[in-house]
Amino acid sequence: MTAGYGPGYGQGYGPGYAAMPAPQPARKGFDILGLIAVIIAMVGLVPTLFVFLIGLIPEMNAIWWLLVALIPMLGIGGALVLLLAIIGLIVGITRKRRYGLSITGIVLGLMMLVPIGLLSFSSTL
């Protein structure tokens, strides 16, 4: 015994003390729409980057025809990525949750639409 206090003093036991559970940390939800948007963007951007880098090799110039198939895929995928990422951003802001992947998805979606914009608005047409 110390200083006349009984056992359990200050520990939350005995009469007058309610057993209180430890406070749980606030759990933030995961940005699933942003993750899906980033995955779709990577599926669209990695083959395009691959074709572009291989096309820089002089002996492999014939690979540029693959961009004919990849450009429409970039347009459709970019629009889908932007849609998912913007919805994820809105949901994340309104529910006060994480939305970093949604912002990344928006950036990647815009990167997917840049080649189409360059083809559409270039002065060489």
Side-chain angles (χ1 to χ4, degrees):
M1 294 243 177
T2 58
Y5 297 114
Y9 176 76
Q11 297 175 2
Y13 299 111
Y17 287 102
M20 296 180 63
Q24 298 293 328
R27 186 169 176 200
K28 297 261 185 176
F30 191 71
D31 185 13
I32 192 72
L33 288 174
L35 179 65
I36 293 170
V38 169
I39 290 172
I40 293 173
M42 286 298 109
V43 167
L45 285 174
V46 169
T48 307
L49 180 66
F50 183 70
V51 167
F52 179 75
L53 291 177
I54 287 181
L56 293 177
I57 300 171
E59 291 84 19
M60 297 296 291
N61 272 339
I63 202 165
W64 289 107
W65 69 270
L66 283 175
L67 289 177
V68 172
L70 288 176
I71 293 292
M73 186 180 83
L74 282 176
I76 294 168
L80 181 65
V81 165
L82 277 177
L83 179 69
L84 287 173
I86 289 172
I87 291 172
L89 182 67
I90 292 170
V91 168
I93 289 173
T94 56
R95 293 186 181 174
K96 293 182 173 62
R97 293 187 176 176
R98 298 178 186 163
Y99 50 87
L101 283 174
S102 292
I103 294 173
T104 306
I106 290 173
V107 171
L108 291 175
L110 290 174
M111 284 177 55
M112 290 175 79
L113 295 177
V114 164
I116 296 172
L118 290 176
L119 287 175
S120 299
F121 300 115
S122 67
S123 61
T124 60
L125 292 177

